[in-house]
Amino acid sequence: MSEQPALLALRCLQCNTPVPAQPDEVAWVCATCQTGLLLDETNGLTKFAFHFADGIKGTGRPVWVAQGKVALDRTSRNLLGKDGDAERFWDAPRQFIIPAWSCGVDELVDLAIGWLQTPIGLKAGPAASFLPVTLRPEDARPVAEYVIVGIEALRKDQLRKVEFILDLGEPELWVLP
Ligand SMILES: [Zn+2]
């Protein structure tokens, strides 16, 4: 048995190439055979699909992408400003895109809100290099919940209280330009 910490002993499940893992990272693509790998507290290291969007030049940005259906119950301070935008917005399932690289909380929330308000089409493209993946897939849900509150607080009817149930699909890892 190796006495090295587990992170330093990671090897590709497909070809046994050592994975140069940094302590904060949770997912990699093997440099030798391009197998995607995810480190999970319950399952350990597993094979895992990476998706690359079209148009990456240089280093791509990894994100978690999940479909979410939100059942919303909100009350506003200003009933005159209430125009049903929120109800219409959440009527359909929404595509949540959560930055998975290491960025500040403000940037993370701004980007996630922007991508929720203005959905981007995800078209598969060739594999590319990408920033280290540091957000675990199980953390996509708390971020998505935070983003829902953020988006509701931005509406002009002055949110007083919001409650919701989020039905979030399994997050997929995409690398964006
Ligand atoms: Zn490999």
Side-chain angles (χ1 to χ4, degrees):
M1 290 291 284
S2 165
E3 290 184 2
Q4 285 180 320
L7 270 175
L8 298 179
L10 290 183
R11 284 177 176 275
C12 174
L13 297 171
Q14 185 70 31
C15 74
N16 213 35
T17 298
V19 178
Q22 297 300 311
D24 289 343
E25 288 181 75
V26 297
W28 306 266
V29 167
C30 173
T32 303
C33 72
Q34 276 71 53
T35 296
L37 301 162
L38 176 72
L39 183 64
D40 180 283
E41 276 174 7
T42 11
N43 303 316
L45 195 65
T46 51
K47 288 188 193 174
F48 179 74
F50 273 67
H51 305 270
F52 293 88
D54 208 12
I56 300 171
K57 294 179 180 66
T59 305
R61 300 174 296 168
V63 294
W64 293 107
V65 178
Q67 296 299 316
K69 185 79 183 78
V70 173
L72 195 71
D73 181 11
R74 78 200 291 287
T75 52
S76 40
R77 285 179 211 286
N78 177 5
L79 290 175
L80 290 176
K82 190 167 168 58
D83 53 11
D85 271 2
E87 288 72 15
R88 275 195 297 278
F89 184 78
W90 296 115
D91 201 36
R94 290 281 161 180
Q95 183 182 57
F96 286 82
I97 302 183
I98 312 285
W101 74 94
S102 205
C103 61
V105 175
D106 287 351
E107 186 186 3
L108 182 142
V109 172
D110 283 354
L111 284 168
I113 287 180
W115 280 324
L116 193 58
Q117 287 172 328
T118 313
I120 52 172
L122 292 170
K123 193 159 150 274
S129 64
F130 52 90
L131 294 170
V133 181
T134 55
L135 190 82
R136 300 176 310 161
E138 54 267 41
D139 292 331
R141 167 176 280 277
V143 174
E145 290 173 345
Y146 191 81
V147 163
I148 293 167
V149 174
I151 219 167
E152 289 309 311
L154 288 171
R155 295 191 197 282
K156 57 182 180 291
D157 66 349
Q158 298 175 303
L159 181 70
R160 185 156 62 122
K161 181 160 159 271
V162 63
E163 289 178 356
F164 58 86
I165 298 166
L166 169 61
D167 181 8
L168 192 68
E170 194 69 33
E172 289 186 342
L173 191 69
W174 279 79
V175 179
L176 304 184

